């Protein structure tokens, strides 16, 4: 009976779980400082986060489309690592327009970091394949 009481309390606690706006922004893939004040100044419940993901309001759709984007999103859009962005001197959030301009300009650092990232992915795939082969061979 005690276990059930504890489970009930945990279930109730989960239903009201909240997170800081920074955490919610990270999960939504948006730059916190570009979100509306009411988002930055409050807390976000799990249900609110799910609603934002399922049916994003206009501000969220605009932010995802136009930016400014946080570094993980910028890195993904450019096909480089976050460290690669830093090595290239990109430390601030970029808009979609700025990202597209960089893709067109193809600066040396971007080409170098893309090549590095491609090698990292190739090596990861090789190791994954080797790991799955040794698992199959051992069974």
């Amino acid at each position: 009976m005690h276990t059930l009481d504890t489970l009930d309390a945990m279930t109730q606690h989960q239903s009201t779980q909240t997170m800081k706006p920074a955490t919610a922004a990270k999960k939504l893939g948006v730059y916190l400082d570009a979100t509306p004040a009411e988002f930055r100044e409050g807390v976000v419940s799990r249900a609110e986060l799910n609603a934002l993901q399922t049916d994003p309001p206009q501000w969220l759709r605009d932010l995802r489309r136009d930016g400014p984007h946080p570094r993980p999103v910028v890195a993904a859009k450019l096909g480089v690592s976050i460290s690669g962005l830093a090595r290239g001197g990109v430390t601030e959030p970029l808009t979609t327009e700025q990202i597209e301009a960089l893709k067109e300009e193809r600066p040396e650092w971007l080409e170098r970091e893309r090549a590095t990232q491609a090698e990292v992915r190739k090596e990861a795939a090789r190791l994954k394949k080797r790991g799955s082969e040794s698992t199959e061979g051992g069974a």
Side-chain angles (χ1 to χ4, degrees):
M1 179 104 170
H2 182 267
T3 306
L4 287 177
D5 293 339
T6 305
L7 276 175
D8 286 344
M10 287 172 58
T11 305
Q12 289 169 354
H13 180 259
Q14 281 182 334
S15 63
T16 59
Q17 183 180 13
T18 60
M19 61 193 82
K20 294 178 182 174
T23 304
K26 187 181 239 181
K27 289 179 181 289
L28 293 169
V30 296
Y31 181 55
L32 179 63
D33 290 352
T35 61
E38 59 270 14
F39 180 86
R40 288 192 310 270
E41 294 165 2
V43 293
V44 181
S45 71
R46 180 69 62 188
E48 290 168 328
L49 179 69
N50 291 341
L52 287 169
Q53 290 172 323
T54 308
D55 186 21
Q58 190 61 48
W59 67 263
L60 182 53
R61 290 195 300 268
D62 292 345
L63 207 48
R64 285 177 166 168
R65 184 185 62 239
D66 302 326
H69 302 287
R71 287 182 305 153
V73 174
V74 173
K77 287 180 179 275
L78 290 173
V80 300
S81 67
I82 294 172
S83 299
L85 281 181
R87 286 190 292 271
V90 178
T91 57
E92 297 298 315
L94 298 180
T95 64
T96 300
E97 189 176 310
Q98 292 169 313
I99 292 168
E100 292 305 316
L102 271 175
K103 286 179 176 179
E104 287 177 26
E105 291 168 19
R106 299 175 69 126
E108 183 184 323
W109 72 265
L110 180 57
E111 294 302 308
R112 186 175 57 248
E113 292 300 335
R114 281 180 163 175
T116 299
Q117 194 67 8
E119 285 299 316
V120 167
R121 283 192 291 267
K122 197 162 97 177
E123 179 65 6
R126 184 187 71 78
L127 291 173
K128 183 177 178 183
K129 183 179 179 187
R130 191 175 84 184
S132 67
E133 287 172 355
S134 66
T135 303
E136 290 169 6

